[in-house]
Amino acid sequence: MIVIGLTGGIGSGKSTVSDRFVDLGAVLIDADQIVRELQEPGGIVHTEMVNHFGAEILNEDTTLNRQAVADVVFSDKEALRTLNGIVHPPVNREIRHRIREQATTDNLLVLDIPLLIEGIMAGGPPRYIVSGILVVDTPAEVAIRRLVDQRGFSEEDARSRIAAQVPPEKRLELADFVINNAVTLNELEPQIRSAFAWAQNLPATEPTPEPDEPR
């Protein structure tokens, strides 16, 4: 088993890269998807979020209103810390569990964590959980245009979210391989194939030694 960490800023095009890695035979562990699963009604993350932030963050069908959550936490650093404290521990446990499930295989695992670099800098999951870090790098103005044109963000919202993230140079400092995604899809493809070949030749990754925790 080889595990690589895939990261990049919002609007960088990480999903395009991760999708192509899957097409080429990799197994994807998507942190954002795990968050969404654990935030489904009835789940512990959903319950704790409602207990702390109130029913105002819910849609009529009791699913989370993600825009309502964003409106609360992006303007309040203490609320954001509280949200992270609710979400991150169970998500990290689930990520470790899924990695250990692949431990006896020869698979290449792509661990897609948008805040991987932030977590390492904050003393969170250390680099040894992956054999290499792949960063998708995109200039801020290109990312803003994508967020506005493709995902319906207002320009103000797009700029504020990018400004709230770790500076791109910090990602590049910790990167083992960088994909420049300020290009067309045709120009991106050779970079993806080069990154895939790089990943396949990394040393095997040892799963974290912790036993499975209650989930």
Side-chain angles (χ1 to χ4, degrees), residues 18-57:
S18 64
D19 287 347
R20 286 294 295 125
F21 264 66
V22 171
D23 291 342
L24 293 168
V27 174
L28 177 63
I29 299 177
D30 185 337
D32 280 348
Q33 180 59 38
I34 291 173
V35 170
R36 288 190 289 270
E37 292 172 9
L38 297 181
Q39 288 178 336
E40 288 294 320
I44 184 171
V45 173
H46 182 279
T47 300
E48 290 190 27
M49 287 180 64
V50 175
N51 286 344
H52 185 84
F53 296 108
E56 293 79 9
I57 65 170

Side-chain angles (χ1 to χ4, degrees), residues 58-183:
L58 298 179
N59 296 309
E60 290 185 4
D61 62 358
T62 75
T63 58
L64 287 178
N65 182 323
R66 300 186 186 282
Q67 185 58 53
V69 175
D71 290 343
V72 171
V73 301
F74 278 105
S75 59
D76 186 334
K77 291 184 178 180
E78 184 59 36
L80 181 58
R81 279 193 291 269
T82 298
L83 177 63
N84 289 340
I86 292 171
V87 173
H88 289 174
V91 171
N92 288 338
R93 287 196 296 270
E94 181 62 22
I95 287 172
R96 291 197 301 269
H97 173 77
R98 295 188 187 190
I99 290 174
R100 287 194 296 272
E101 286 185 322
Q102 298 285 331
T104 60
T105 73
D106 294 326
N107 290 333
L108 171 62
L109 276 62
V110 177
L111 183 53
D112 184 346
I113 302 184
L115 300 180
L116 176 63
I117 302 303
E118 289 88 337
I120 293 172
M121 291 172 60
R127 283 190 63 125
Y128 69 74
I129 68 169
V130 297
S131 292
I133 294 177
L134 172 60
V135 169
V136 182
D137 186 49
T138 306
E141 291 304 318
V142 174
I144 289 167
R145 188 168 68 247
R146 287 175 180 163
L147 292 172
V148 172
D149 294 346
Q150 300 173 16
R151 294 172 59 178
F153 281 64
S154 69
E155 182 172 336
E156 180 182 7
D157 190 16
R159 290 187 182 278
S160 66
R161 296 204 186 203
I162 288 175
Q165 295 185 328
V166 67
E169 56 267 23
K170 293 295 183 182
R171 294 192 199 96
L172 298 178
E173 285 177 11
L174 291 173
D176 298 305
F177 197 104
V178 178
I179 287 178
N180 168 24
N181 196 16
V183 296

